[in-house]
């Protein structure tokens, strides 16, 4: 009957509230991860507006982030990972940078040469690319880290080192 249904509903609600009180609260920081980096005007690169919002349980020192597409930088940078980019100029030969050249953005080891930049993949299946200076290759920034995120739904992405439980009304992250 109606009264019994109401009593059961209230009991379930009280049980959920009690469980919620037991769960540790972990602060999550929001980050924008751009689908593709694209050259903008001036010296900033913040993508074409297409980004995923991801959450991580610590603040990360970077200027922006992008998904890794492809396997040319394996085994260090895997397809589907997120690279953290710090907007810098060229720091030193052999560091990994995001480079804009010829309408594409590459994540590669970079070596300055007399006539241009040599872009080197970590995966030996791929040959080097050469970006002549007269084609205006630009260092977007240095790769300063990477994180692995997993998409759970179209607009919800969480760091996968956490154990994640989802229900219709709550999202609880536990370590």
């Amino acid at each position: 009957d109606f009264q019994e249904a109401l009593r059961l509903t209230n009991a379930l609600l009280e049980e959920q509230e009690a469980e919620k009180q037991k769960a540790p609260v972990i602060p999550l920081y929001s980050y924008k991860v751009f689908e593709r980096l694209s050259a903008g005007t001036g010296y900033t690169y913040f993508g074409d507006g297409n980004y995923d919002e991801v959450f991580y349980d610590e603040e990360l020192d970077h200027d922006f982030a992008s998904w890794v597409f492809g396997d040319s930088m394996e085994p260090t940078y895997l397809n589907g990972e997120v690279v953290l980019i710090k907007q810098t100029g060229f720091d030193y030969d052999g560091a990994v940078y995001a480079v804009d050249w010829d309408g594409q953005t590459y994540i590669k080891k970079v070596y300055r040469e007399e006539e241009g930049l040599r872009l080197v993949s970590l995966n030996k299946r791929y040959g080097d690319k050469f970006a002549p200076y007269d084609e205006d290759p630009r260092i977007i920034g240095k790769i300063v880290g990477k994180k692995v995120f997993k998409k759970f739904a179209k607009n919800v992405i969480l760091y996968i080192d956490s154990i994640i439980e989802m229900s219709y009304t709550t999202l609880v992250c536990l370590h």
Side-chain angles (χ1 to χ4, degrees):
D1 81 323
F2 176 76
Q3 290 299 327
E4 180 63 17
L6 184 59
R7 187 189 67 71
L8 285 173
T9 302
N10 285 331
L12 285 172
L13 183 59
E14 286 175 18
E15 187 179 315
Q16 285 181 352
E17 289 297 319
E19 285 298 316
K20 203 186 302 185
Q21 298 300 323
K22 293 180 194 175
V25 176
I26 299 170
L28 294 176
Y29 300 92
S30 173
Y31 298 94
K32 292 180 181 178
V33 180
F34 292 96
E35 285 292 323
R36 302 243 185 238
L37 298 177
S38 62
T41 57
Y43 294 101
T44 59
Y45 293 79
F46 291 101
D48 59 7
N50 291 326
Y51 64 86
D52 291 309
E53 186 171 14
V54 301
F55 299 89
Y56 187 59
D57 60 1
E58 69 180 74
E59 289 190 90
L60 303 170
D61 183 25
H62 71 294
D63 293 320
F64 55 100
S66 181
W67 295 105
V68 174
F69 292 97
D71 64 352
S72 68
M73 292 302 284
E74 288 183 0
T76 304
Y77 302 97
L78 305 178
N79 187 46
E81 288 184 329
V82 172
V83 289
L84 307 174
I85 302 165
K86 197 78 162 150
Q87 275 187 294
T88 65
F90 189 84
D91 196 5
Y92 59 89
D93 279 336
V96 178
Y97 296 92
V99 178
D100 174 58
W101 169 56
D102 196 29
Q104 299 282 328
T105 303
Y106 299 91
I107 296 172
K108 301 285 182 201
K109 285 179 79 172
V110 176
Y111 296 87
R112 281 191 303 193
E113 296 185 355
E114 190 172 317
E115 300 295 319
L117 301 176
R118 184 165 41 100
L119 310 179
V120 178
S121 298
L122 298 177
N123 187 333
K124 299 303 178 199
R125 294 187 355 212
Y126 294 87
D128 295 354
K129 294 182 177 292
F130 187 76
Y133 290 131
D134 63 5
E135 292 182 13
D136 197 28
R138 291 190 222 165
I139 302 288
I140 298 170
K142 186 176 178 183
I143 307 303
V144 295
K146 67 176 183 166
K147 295 293 175 193
V148 179
F149 293 88
K150 183 173 181 179
K151 293 185 181 186
F152 285 93
K154 184 174 183 179
N155 294 320
V156 178
I157 302 170
L158 296 170
Y159 183 61
I160 66 169
D161 277 358
S162 298
I163 299 169
I164 297 161
E165 297 178 10
M166 295 178 71
S167 74
Y168 292 107
T169 57
T170 61
L171 178 64
V172 180
C173 295
L174 308 171
H175 269 261

